[in-house]
Amino acid sequence: MSTQLVIPVQPVVSAATSEEEQLRLARFKNYHPPTFSGLASKDAPGFLGERYRILHTMCIVETIRVDFTMVQLKGAAYQWWRADVLVRVCSPDPLGSVVREVEQLRWGTMSVLEYVVRFNDLSRHAPVLVSTIRERVCRFIEGLSKEI
């Protein structure tokens, strides 16, 4: 009987370090920015557009935009973000492991929607493998058609 080590993962949250940043965050929240949970029924382009409009209006620079956007993520979208940060921080070769995952991704027992979401998540981090629409489509179909 093998035992599996389970390491609890604490949310990675970067706190506002200055009073000015805390005031900006409060102002940002006053705009009532939309939240995003990552569910298929949510409008990702609408979320991103509204987020950009508010941050641009407030003249928030790019480095702070990531922190402000993280506050808007809920549910599955927040879990994805947290896992993505942990991979970047903990993995000795995050790009190499993502490239391998894209190359080895197979439809298998996933639903088509799960496969699409996984493919999109991975390919976002390995643009070298899907730099053209043709490469993206070919790699997507390849993963659908190969055995596990």
Side-chain angles (χ1 to χ4, degrees), residues 56-97:
H56 182 73
T57 300
M58 293 179 62
C59 298
I60 303 287
V61 294
E62 196 62 38
T63 54
I64 299 172
R65 287 180 183 180
V66 172
D67 290 337
F68 280 26
T69 301
M70 184 270 306
V71 170
Q72 296 172 266
L73 301 178
K74 305 290 181 208
Y78 177 76
Q79 296 302 321
W80 167 85
W81 176 84
R82 186 176 75 175
D84 186 62
V85 168
L86 289 173
V87 165
R88 290 173 195 243
V89 171
C90 299
S91 177
D93 181 17
L95 180 59
S97 64

Side-chain angles (χ1 to χ4, degrees), residues 8-114:
V9 178
Q10 296 298 318
V12 179
V13 177
S14 57
T17 56
S18 72
E19 188 175 326
E20 182 181 332
E21 287 175 359
Q22 291 176 7
L23 290 172
R24 277 191 206 154
L25 181 58
R27 262 185 55 224
F28 175 72
K29 287 180 178 180
N30 284 338
Y31 280 94
H32 305 288
T35 59
F36 183 70
S37 67
L39 299 175
S41 63
K42 290 289 188 169
D43 178 18
F47 165 77
L48 293 172
E50 182 66 9
R51 168 202 154 275
Y52 177 80
R53 184 188 67 75
I54 294 169
L55 293 169
H56 182 73
T57 300
M58 293 179 62
C59 298
I60 303 287
V61 294
E62 196 62 38
T63 54
I64 299 172
R65 287 180 183 180
V66 172
D67 290 337
F68 280 26
T69 301
M70 184 270 306
V71 170
Q72 296 172 266
L73 301 178
K74 305 290 181 208
Y78 177 76
Q79 296 302 321
W80 167 85
W81 176 84
R82 186 176 75 175
D84 186 62
V85 168
L86 289 173
V87 165
R88 290 173 195 243
V89 171
C90 299
S91 177
D93 181 17
L95 180 59
S97 64
V98 171
V99 167
R100 280 188 297 282
E101 279 191 72
V102 171
E103 291 173 334
Q104 297 170 358
L105 181 63
R106 301 295 176 260
W107 177 23
T109 59
M110 290 184 266
S111 71
V112 174
L113 180 58
E114 290 170 327

